[in-house]
Amino acid sequence: MGFKGWPAEAIEFYEGLEADNTRAYWQDHKKEYEELVRRPMTELLGELSGEFGEGAIFRPYRDVRFSRDKSPYKTAIGATMARGGYVQFSARGLAAGSGYYVMMPDQLDRYRRAVDDDKTGADLEGLVTVLRKAGIDVTARESLKTAPKGYAKDHPRIELLRHKGLIAWKEWPVAAWMGTAKARQRVVDFLHAARPLHDWLDTNVGPSTNPER
């Protein structure tokens, strides 16, 4: 079957999980998760795979080993695509992202050098401006409070230099169209808009050559 969006019951499932994040709730509603939440995500990824690569859905279980919050289950379903892109669905609606969420030290060094460069840095600045004008956030999971070592605090692209990752991000609040195939087009339109940013990162940063163990 083709992707037809997430039904209202999928939102209700996550509202219930947020209110009762327990194994008992999960076991009682696991079938709803599989049919109403995971299945639409699988169908969506299947339709996107031709252009954006194979998709992979994150496990629904939280890693609580180093967290004060011991809630066992994630309150959103998320998935990545092999050629770049992230999709997330929760009780708050639909979201999509693209970029480098976390950069390893060697990636971060290449990123900062490229931002500092007058040509590649200006190119990135232009891409960010275009995305923000289109209503797409460009942000980072973590940023320094000041300039990174070796860079001036008054650098013309200091905001970008302070980031320790770089992503384009778009959220849509709950709406009726999420229960239809229109949700697919929203994700596709976002990924097309974010592609130049992802391409800039691939060209100027690329994968880590010495990932942490």
Side-chain angles (χ1 to χ4, degrees):
M1 294 180 62
F3 173 71
K4 294 182 174 62
W6 282 274
E9 292 82 359
I11 296 170
E12 293 171 3
F13 165 81
Y14 275 123
E15 288 176 338
L17 184 61
E18 289 181 357
D20 184 14
N21 198 311
T22 64
R23 186 175 187 276
Y25 178 91
W26 183 263
Q27 290 299 114
D28 289 344
H29 298 83
K30 188 174 181 180
K31 185 176 180 180
E32 295 169 31
Y33 168 79
E34 294 292 344
E35 291 296 319
L36 305 175
V37 177
R38 184 180 174 88
R39 181 175 177 178
M41 180 67 85
T42 300
E43 292 169 346
L44 174 62
L45 295 175
E47 293 186 7
L48 298 179
S49 62
E51 182 175 1
F52 301 103
E54 184 178 355
I57 299 175
F58 288 102
R59 288 164 52 86
Y61 314 106
R62 295 183 64 247
D63 184 351
V64 299
R65 292 173 298 173
F66 309 106
S67 174
R68 291 184 179 180
D69 180 2
K70 299 302 181 182
S71 302
Y73 304 102
K74 297 174 182 176
T75 54
I77 185 171
T80 58
M81 286 158 276
R83 299 192 193 110
Y86 173 82
V87 184
Q88 177 179 288
F89 178 81
S90 70
R92 284 165 293 285
L94 183 64
S98 180
Y100 286 24
Y101 189 60
V102 177
M103 292 186 193
M104 302 299 288
D106 63 315
Q107 292 177 299
L108 194 53
D109 178 64
R110 292 192 295 272
Y111 167 74
R112 287 171 177 164
R113 290 175 183 271
V115 173
D116 183 48
D117 182 87
D118 288 340
K119 174 62 170 66
T120 53
D123 288 345
L124 177 60
E125 197 170 34
L127 295 174
V128 170
T129 297
V130 169
L131 286 170
R132 287 176 173 167
K133 285 183 177 179
I136 295 173
D137 291 332
V138 180
T139 186
R141 179 183 69 96
E142 185 178 0
S143 297
L144 297 173
K145 293 182 178 180
T146 187
K149 185 177 180 179
Y151 295 92
K153 294 181 179 180
D154 60 350
H155 193 285
R157 291 177 291 279
I158 188 60
E159 177 196 0
L160 292 169
L161 281 172
R162 289 171 50 233
H163 290 334
K164 300 180 74 172
L166 192 67
I167 59 168
W169 182 255
K170 178 73 176 180
E171 294 184 7
W172 298 272
V174 172
W177 57 262
M178 290 180 188
T180 73
K182 291 180 180 179
R184 174 188 180 277
Q185 194 58 49
R186 295 291 183 102
V187 173
V188 170
D189 289 346
F190 165 82
L191 292 173
H192 285 166
R195 173 56 63 181
L197 177 65
H198 196 278
D199 288 345
W200 186 96
L201 290 166
D202 281 348
T203 298
N204 295 285
V205 180
S208 176
T209 57
N210 57 338
E212 293 180 351
R213 298 175 61 184

